[in-house]
């Protein structure tokens, strides 16, 4: 899966086909027509409400794809540039590693595209975490 360039409509379509989800079930759940479903499959971006509905229907967290993108491609924060907000209930956590992210990282190491040190430096993954992943392979 390409976590850098995300085309969410095609990923939703792939998952629906993988589950052999009948179009009638999709239309009933999303309250839309077959043409509207086909149009959603063509969308590179999707509003969060629609994506949430698809996630529930297909029992797959499509938001994790974007989380994986953030983990791999969001610029690292510097403590100097961070705005400190007390009592904030919303915090960004880069310590959520999806299976897609783990697979992407391990593939880079296994195919020798990157060394362990390069992965740690570039993606800011703790050394112990990375070695646990490697040990499980």
């Amino acid at each position: 899966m390409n976590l850098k360039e995300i085309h969410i409509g095609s990923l939703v379509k792939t998952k629906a086909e993988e589950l052999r989800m009948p179009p009638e079930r999709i239309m009933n759940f999303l309250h839309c027509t077959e043409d509207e479903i086909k149009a959603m499959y063509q969308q590179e971006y999707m509003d969060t409400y629609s994506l949430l509905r698809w996630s529930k229907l297909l029992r797959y967290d499509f938001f994790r794809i974007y989380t994986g993108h953030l983990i791999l491609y969001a610029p690292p924060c510097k403590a100097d540039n961070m705005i400190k907000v007390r009592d904030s209930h919303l915090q960004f956590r880069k310590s959520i590693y999806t299976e897609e992210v783990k697979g992407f990282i391990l593939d880079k190491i296994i195919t020798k595209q990157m060394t362990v040190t390069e992965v740690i430096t570039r993606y800011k993954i703790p050394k112990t975490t990375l070695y646990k992943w490697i040990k499980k392979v």
Side-chain angles (χ1 to χ4, degrees), residues 23-37 40 49-50 53-54 57:
E24 297 79 21
R25 170 82 173 108
I26 298 170
M27 290 186 294
N28 287 337
F29 190 86
L30 299 177
H31 306 292
C32 61
T33 65
E34 195 165 358
D35 289 336
E36 291 171 324
I37 292 169
M40 284 188 242
Y49 179 76
S50 297
R53 300 286 296 163
W54 277 109
L57 176 65

Side-chain angles (χ1 to χ4, degrees), residues 85-115:
V85 180
R86 289 186 179 171
D87 303 325
S88 175
H89 297 288
L90 297 174
Q91 293 182 357
F92 178 69
R93 290 182 47 195
K94 285 191 75 158
S95 61
I96 302 171
Y97 301 108
T98 63
E99 291 303 316
E100 289 86 0
V101 170
K102 290 177 189 177
F104 175 82
I105 297 290
L106 290 173
D107 184 57
K108 292 282 186 190
I109 294 169
I110 291 168
T111 59
K112 305 215 186 294
Q113 294 176 20
M114 294 178 82
T115 66

Side-chain angles (χ1 to χ4, degrees), residues 33-103:
T33 65
E34 195 165 358
D35 289 336
E36 291 171 324
I37 292 169
K38 288 178 183 176
M40 284 188 242
Y41 290 158
Q42 300 300 316
Q43 293 176 343
E44 186 174 352
Y45 307 102
M46 195 175 293
D47 67 87
T48 54
Y49 179 76
S50 297
L51 194 58
L52 180 63
R53 300 286 296 163
W54 277 109
S55 294
K56 288 178 179 180
L57 176 65
L58 301 177
R59 296 184 179 177
Y60 183 83
D61 185 359
F62 289 101
F63 294 97
R64 284 194 173 250
I65 297 167
Y66 292 105
T67 302
H69 175 89
L70 288 173
I71 290 169
L72 295 174
Y73 300 106
C77 312
K78 292 184 180 178
D80 314 357
N81 299 338
M82 287 179 52
I83 299 170
K84 305 226 179 196
V85 180
R86 289 186 179 171
D87 303 325
S88 175
H89 297 288
L90 297 174
Q91 293 182 357
F92 178 69
R93 290 182 47 195
K94 285 191 75 158
S95 61
I96 302 171
Y97 301 108
T98 63
E99 291 303 316
E100 289 86 0
V101 170
K102 290 177 189 177

